[in-house]
Amino acid sequence: MELITLKKILPQVDTELLQFIASEAVEMDVPADSTLLKTGNYVQSVPLVVKGLIRVSRSEDDKELLLYYIHPGEMCIMSFSACCSNSASMIEATTLEETKVLLIPSVKLREWITHYPSFNFYVYEMFNKRYLDLIDTINQLIFNRLDERLFSYLKEKTLLSGNNHITITHLQIATDMGTAREVISRLLKKLELENKILTSRNQVTVI
C-alpha cells in the first residue's frame, strides 16, 4: 500500500506509523458477499477498510441483527477489541461489495497503541463512532415501530449506495432487521400504500 493512499484514509495518524502500517499490513482484495470473520473465531489480524463496505452483525439462536457498517478509513473495532483481549469474536463481518482491506497483525496493533498517541486517538474515535451506532440501533429497537425502523433502514441503504433504487430481497432485509421475511413483506406493502416506496422483484425504490 502506497504511503500517499494511507495518508488519505488515515490523515490523523503519524507519518512514521503510516510507514509501519504500509510495511506490516497485508493488502487484500475481497469479493462481495465474502465472510471476513465469523462468531467464535479468534482474531489474528484486524481489517482496515481502504475501499468498499463491510457489514457487521450479531447472530444467536439462528437469528441475526445488523449492528453497523465499516466504511473506508475505518477499522473493525469489535475485531480490535477481541484482538486486544485475546477473546473470541462476538460478531460476523461480511463484505457488501468488492472491498479492499489492510489486514493489520494483532501483535502490531497492541504495540502501536503503546507507542503512538495519534493511533490511540484514532482508536478512541472508532470506539465512539461504533458506540453511537449501537446506541442508535438500541433506540430503534426500543422506541420505534418496526415499520419506522424498516423505512429508516431503507433510507440508510440509499445513502450507502448513492441510489434510491435498492436491489435486495425480503429475506436479506429480514435478516438485517432480526425478524421474519413474512413480516417484512407485509410492512413493505404498508409503506408502498403510504407512497413512501415502490417495490418490484428484488428491488425497492425509496420515494
Side-chain angles (χ1 to χ4, degrees):
M1 175 65 62
E2 293 182 358
L3 191 60
I4 190 169
T5 303
L6 277 177
K7 192 66 178 175
K8 286 180 181 178
I9 63 172
L10 296 173
Q12 66 275 65
V13 175
D14 295 341
T15 300
E16 181 182 3
L17 178 54
L18 291 177
Q19 291 171 334
F20 281 125
I21 294 174
S23 62
E24 298 287 351
V26 176
E27 187 175 342
M28 181 182 292
D29 291 308
V30 187
D33 301 317
S34 298
T35 300
L36 286 172
L37 182 64
K38 290 185 176 181
T39 303
N41 287 167
Y42 280 82
V43 180
Q44 302 301 319
S45 57
V46 176
L48 170 69
V49 178
V50 177
K51 182 182 71 174
L53 191 65
I54 294 177
R55 172 185 181 274
V56 175
S57 61
R58 168 77 174 154
S59 300
E60 192 168 333
D61 297 331
D62 297 325
K63 292 184 178 180
E64 188 176 7
L65 179 67
L66 170 67
L67 298 179
Y68 53 81
Y69 298 101
I70 307 174
H71 301 266
E74 297 179 352
M75 182 186 293
C76 181
I77 211 66
M78 296 290 283
S79 300
F80 178 88
S81 178
C83 145
C84 290
S85 61
N86 195 30
S87 57
S89 170
M90 298 178 64
I91 55 94
E92 184 165 305
T94 308
T95 56
L96 288 182
E97 56 190 61
E98 186 175 338
T99 301
K100 183 187 292 292
V101 297
L102 286 179
L103 298 176
I104 304 175
S106 57
V107 64
K108 291 297 179 182
L109 282 175
R110 289 191 286 267
E111 179 184 318
W112 294 340
I113 290 173
T114 304
H115 292 97
Y116 293 95
S118 66
F119 189 64
N120 259 321
F121 178 79
Y122 167 76
V123 170
Y124 288 138
E125 189 178 44
M126 287 296 100
F127 266 109
N128 184 59
K129 184 175 178 61
R130 295 291 82 95
Y131 173 77
L132 293 175
D133 286 340
L134 292 175
I135 288 294
D136 183 60
T137 299
I138 292 168
N139 283 339
Q140 292 273 350
L141 287 169
I142 295 176
F143 300 114
N144 290 5
R145 299 195 316 266
L146 190 54
D147 59 336
E148 295 173 333
R149 286 177 52 210
L150 175 58
F151 192 52
S152 294
Y153 167 89
L154 294 172
K155 288 193 292 184
E156 183 179 16
K157 280 285 188 184
T158 65
L159 292 175
L160 289 172
S161 65
N163 192 328
N164 67 330
H165 304 290
I166 309 163
T167 301
I168 195 168
T169 67
H170 293 193
L171 180 58
Q172 287 172 310
I173 298 172
T175 299
D176 278 354
M177 298 191 64
T179 188
R181 180 185 60 79
E182 294 78 10
V183 173
I184 292 301
S185 298
R186 175 172 54 81
L187 291 177
L188 286 172
K189 187 64 177 176
K190 177 178 182 291
L191 290 175
E192 189 166 28
L193 290 172
E194 293 173 354
N195 294 318
K196 293 181 177 180
I197 63 169
L198 294 172
T199 61
S200 55
R201 183 174 176 81
N202 294 343
Q203 190 170 77
V204 178
T205 301
V206 177
I207 299 174

